[in-house]
Amino acid sequence: MTTTPVALPTYFLSHGGGPWPYMTGPFREAMRPLEASLLQMRRELGDRPQAALVISGHWEAKGFAISSGARPGMVYDYHGFPEVLYRIRYEAPGSPTLAARVQALLAGRGHPARLDADRGFDHGTFSVMKVLYPEADLPVVQLSLDAGLDPALHLDMGRALAPLRQEGVLIIGSGLSFHNLRIFGSAEGHAPSRRFDGWLQETVLQSAPQERERRLLAWTSAPSARIAHPREDHLLPLMAVVGAAWDEPATRTYHQQDLLGGLTVSSFRFGALPAAAA
């Protein structure tokens, strides 16, 4: 008698600022609530994931692109940090096999994707993976956003990826629920981030699947939407993981109201934890 593999949940993670896990001092201390949420996530997942697929808000391509190198390098896509933070390494392996599987799933739903053997880990990926898997022994593949930034396309992309959840692949959308660099660190972001976060929680946690889809597709009508996201690059990873867990309930896994000068941000899990971890 065979058993059906348990589907892993998907996650939208607000990934914090820059290379924070490699830092010390006040900036690093401000990320402690985020760190605690990631450590709890790892405890809940245990050894169930066999690989991770990260859709990062820091990689856009014409069409979709998939990192396919066996030994990915690093992409230091941040500015103004100490020089030593441009020499850090996260040494997790890639997975050409998983990359090809992702490519096939996307193609099967009408979304051509190219393999990119040279793409390294950007900080949308290594910032969270460093805390989740400090051993760097879990294979990691990155999937880009499409540069057209169409919410419907990214929801459908997520639907294509859904079978991976029963294949031991942890699907992570790495972005930030409030991402307006101009007002990070200022009081100007306090009220807009709270308003947008309130709408996001109502949408994600309280809406039925079809209503959740409708609201996400119309996200620009949310309170303070374009203050929260002048560009939607850090919101679209949410669309992808919602698509991969289409009709499953969500749980808030991280919430902070004092990030980077008083911003409100959240992370979410979609789908149930495996029974042993619930």
Side-chain angles (χ1 to χ4, degrees):
M1 182 177 177
T2 59
T3 59
T4 302
V6 175
L8 291 172
T10 70
Y11 290 83
F12 171 72
L13 301 180
S14 286
H15 60 230
W20 64 267
Y22 298 84
M23 299 175 68
T24 59
F27 190 87
R28 176 68 177 79
E29 290 302 311
M31 305 294 165
R32 290 296 180 190
L34 173 56
E35 179 182 33
S37 74
L38 294 172
L39 293 173
Q40 178 63 21
M41 175 179 164
R42 171 66 187 272
R43 285 191 292 268
E44 291 174 345
L45 289 169
D47 61 359
R48 291 172 182 82
Q50 303 302 304
L53 175 67
V54 182
I55 300 107
S56 172
H58 287 275
W59 188 17
E60 299 174 28
K62 186 177 181 180
F64 294 114
I66 308 157
S67 67
S68 59
R71 283 288 170 188
M74 300 287 282
V75 178
Y76 303 112
D77 54 343
Y78 41 83
H79 306 281
F81 289 88
E83 191 274 335
V84 67
L85 296 173
Y86 298 88
R87 292 186 275 112
I88 57 177
R89 303 285 299 175
Y90 184 68
E91 300 283 2
S95 174
T97 300
L98 175 56
R101 173 69 171 142
V102 172
Q103 184 183 42
L105 287 171
L106 291 173
R109 203 167 172 92
H111 304 307
R114 62 178 176 85
L115 300 178
D116 185 339
D118 297 322
R119 176 70 184 190
F121 298 138
D122 61 53
H123 86 262
T125 294
F126 69 71
S127 63
V128 294
M129 296 306 296
K130 172 66 174 175
V131 180
L132 286 170
Y133 294 93
E135 310 90 343
D137 57 357
L138 188 77
V140 179
V141 169
Q142 279 196 194
L143 172 59
S144 78
L145 304 176
D146 177 82
L149 303 181
D150 177 11
L153 175 62
H154 290 82
L155 278 162
D156 200 63
M157 175 258 272
R159 284 191 170 189
L161 301 175
L164 296 174
R165 299 175 56 205
Q166 292 185 308
E167 299 171 14
V169 178
L170 175 62
I171 302 175
I172 294 172
S174 181
L176 203 58
S177 61
F178 183 93
H179 191 253
N180 185 332
L181 296 177
R182 184 181 62 82
I183 56 177
F184 276 9
S186 82
E188 191 177 344
H190 294 185
S193 68
R194 282 162 176 72
R195 286 193 292 266
F196 187 78
D197 189 80
W199 173 89
L200 190 62
Q201 292 197 55
E202 182 179 341
T203 297
V204 168
L205 301 177
Q206 300 175 26
S207 300
Q210 289 186 334
E211 177 66 5
R212 183 166 68 184
E213 175 190 14
R214 184 194 69 77
R215 288 171 67 104
L216 287 174
L217 290 175
W219 76 271
T220 55
S221 65
S224 301
R226 279 300 184 188
I227 300 175
H229 293 280
R231 293 184 80 248
E232 48 267 57
D233 49 306
H234 275 58
L235 186 64
L236 289 181
L238 170 66
M239 312 291 182
V241 298
V242 167
W246 191 251
D247 59 353
E248 298 181 51
T251 301
R252 192 180 73 187
T253 59
Y254 160 67
H255 183 68
Q256 189 168 353
Q257 293 184 309
D258 60 352
L259 180 69
L260 300 177
L263 301 178
T264 298
V265 294
S266 297
S267 297
F268 303 95
R269 181 183 73 236
F270 298 88
L273 288 168

